[in-house]
């Protein structure tokens, strides 16, 4: 799937697309949840300028969200659009964190889901880098358990399925 296809699915899940929403029953997704579209996630992962990353974090209000979902692909070339060959999903889960928690607990946990039948190191590395950029610091990232695809082309569909 292309960036555009996953972006469309995310707009439907969030209730931003025309027509019926596939997201929450009330139409719009909760303000506690952020679905970052593939181009934004890609840009954030590769962004080297701290000032630009901080500006994006503020604009996205990531620190106000309890759940942030980011499609990740294995493209590492910032000059190539839609160039990746594999999708995974990075989830930043802050639902159990609170302001009275320790510093580590406030960050929450980053979990990377990969439906591939073998470990995709480039996607994993991209997810780890995006985790650091979203949190604004070095953070651990764990690999989550998820269903595995039985072919080499359904990874984007699994990202959409897991995002639901």
């Amino acid at each position: 799937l292309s960036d555009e296809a996953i972006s469309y699915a995310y707009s439907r899940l969030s209730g931003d697309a025309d027509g019926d929403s596939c997201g929450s029953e009330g139409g719009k997704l909760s303000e506690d949840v952020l679905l970052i579209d593939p181009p934004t996630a890609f840009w954030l992962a590769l962004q080297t300028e701290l000032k630009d990353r901080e500006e994006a974090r503020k604009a996205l209000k990531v620190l106000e969200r309890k759940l942030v979902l980011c499609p990740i692909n294995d493209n590492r070339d910032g000059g190539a659009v839609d160039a990746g060959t594999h999708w995974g999903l990075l989830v930043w889960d802050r639902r159990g964190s609170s302001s009275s928690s320790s510093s580590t607990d406030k960050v929450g946990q980053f979990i990377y889901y990969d439906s591939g039948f073998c470990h995709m190191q480039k996607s994993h590395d991209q997810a780890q880098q995006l985790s650091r950029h979203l949190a604004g610091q070095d953070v651990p990232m764990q690999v989550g358990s998820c269903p595995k695809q039985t072919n080499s082309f359904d990874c984007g569909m699994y990202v959409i399925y897991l995002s639901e």
Side-chain angles (χ1 to χ4, degrees), residues 9-65:
Y10 268 29
S11 71
R12 296 281 305 191
L13 288 172
S14 66
D16 291 339
D18 292 335
D20 294 334
S21 168
C22 297
S24 62
E25 289 180 30
K28 283 277 197 186
L29 202 56
S30 166
E31 288 292 317
D32 287 340
V33 179
L34 174 63
L35 304 177
I36 297 182
D37 64 30
T40 303
F42 179 66
W43 180 85
L44 275 169
L46 296 184
Q47 186 50 246
T48 58
E49 295 294 325
L50 178 61
K51 178 179 122 306
D52 293 337
R53 288 194 313 253
E54 289 301 316
E55 198 173 294
R57 284 169 26 118
K58 280 184 187 172
L60 293 169
K61 302 177 183 176
V62 294
L63 295 178
E64 297 173 24
R65 312 300 179 131

Side-chain angles (χ1 to χ4, degrees), residues 126-156:
Q126 190 102 316
Q128 182 64 65
Q129 183 151 326
L130 181 54
S131 298
R132 286 191 299 271
H133 290 179
L134 285 171
Q137 63 187 25
D138 285 335
V139 291
M141 182 189 76
Q142 61 188 13
V143 175
S145 176
C146 67
K148 299 297 180 188
Q149 64 196 69
T150 57
N151 56 40
S152 61
F153 50 83
D154 279 341
C155 51

Side-chain angles (χ1 to χ4, degrees), residues 110-122:
F110 285 89
I111 309 161
Y112 176 64
Y113 296 96
D114 190 334
S115 65
F117 43 84
C118 63
H119 183 67
M120 305 292 187
Q121 191 61 46
K122 285 183 184 177

Side-chain angles (χ1 to χ4, degrees), residues 10 69-72 87-91 111-114 159 162-163:
Y10 268 29
L69 283 72
C70 308
I72 300 288
W87 289 102
L89 179 67
L90 177 66
V91 175
I111 309 161
Y112 176 64
Y113 296 96
D114 190 334
V159 165
L162 293 169
S163 295

